[in-house]
Amino acid sequence: MSDSFLVYDGRNRLFRAAAKQVARLSEDLRLVPWRSKSTREFIEAQFGDHLFVFVLIDPETDKVHAGGEAVRRLLCDRGVPRRLVGAAQRTYKVVGDPFGQVVHGQAPADIDGTFTLAEDARPHLESLRRECSLAACVSGNDTSRRTG
């Protein structure tokens, strides 16, 4: 089984802590900061621009989940009850824009759904693997500080 990648905003201490907690519970998940060079190149290749978007990348299925769908897949794949998953996905869709503006200084891109991994994005998966290993994320290394 290959690792999935969760792109998150590593600029905020609270989100770094939350990402580390998710990593501790997920042996097959690598966390990559949105501002890292590898993430920027992947998102540009996948979506045509370096959009501010919450993304879960699943190389095993050649799928990229974005926005509320990324929330749904992340939680479903980790065994969270469907009722809670649905509530989290609906909440993301309602509060994502205003929350992004207040906390991150920008609203997430209006991208929500599951997309086939773009051929132009595929070569960037190895860079993402090197960008942030599970152990590095859990120990507190946040590469967004070095590359952002």
Side-chain angles (χ1 to χ4, degrees):
M1 182 173 188
S2 68
D3 292 344
S4 295
F5 302 96
L6 178 65
V7 175
Y8 73 102
D9 187 356
R11 297 175 289 183
N12 180 299
R13 184 172 48 117
L14 177 65
F15 293 114
R16 286 192 307 270
K20 288 176 191 176
Q21 186 59 33
V22 169
R24 284 185 186 101
L25 301 172
S26 305
E27 294 179 14
D28 63 342
L29 185 67
R30 292 180 187 239
L31 298 150
V32 288
W34 174 76
R35 295 184 77 173
S36 75
K37 182 179 185 229
S38 298
T39 303
R40 195 168 43 246
E41 290 170 350
F42 176 86
I43 290 176
E44 287 173 2
Q46 179 69 35
F47 297 112
D49 196 1
H50 185 221
L51 304 171
F52 185 59
V53 61
F54 187 62
V55 176
L56 179 66
I57 305 159
D58 186 349
E60 189 170 286
T61 63
D62 287 339
K63 299 294 182 195
V64 177
H65 311 284
E69 184 61 18
V71 171
R72 187 185 78 74
R73 289 303 301 236
L74 180 66
L75 297 176
C76 281
D77 291 351
R78 273 130 199 98
V80 174
R82 290 181 69 164
R83 190 175 207 148
L84 292 176
V85 171
Q89 187 177 19
R90 288 188 300 278
T91 300
Y92 181 87
K93 289 180 180 182
V94 172
V95 302
D97 284 358
F99 184 84
Q101 287 288 3
V102 171
V103 175
H104 304 289
Q106 65 190 91
D110 189 22
I111 296 177
D112 189 16
T114 296
F115 306 88
T116 300
L117 179 65
E119 286 305 316
D120 290 346
R122 186 177 305 283
H124 299 285
L125 292 176
E126 188 55 39
S127 297
L128 290 174
R129 278 186 188 89
R130 289 188 308 265
E131 185 74 39
C132 186
S133 70
L134 178 60
C137 288
V138 171
S139 69
N141 296 332
D142 182 2
T143 56
S144 66
R145 291 182 185 165
R146 291 184 304 213
T147 60

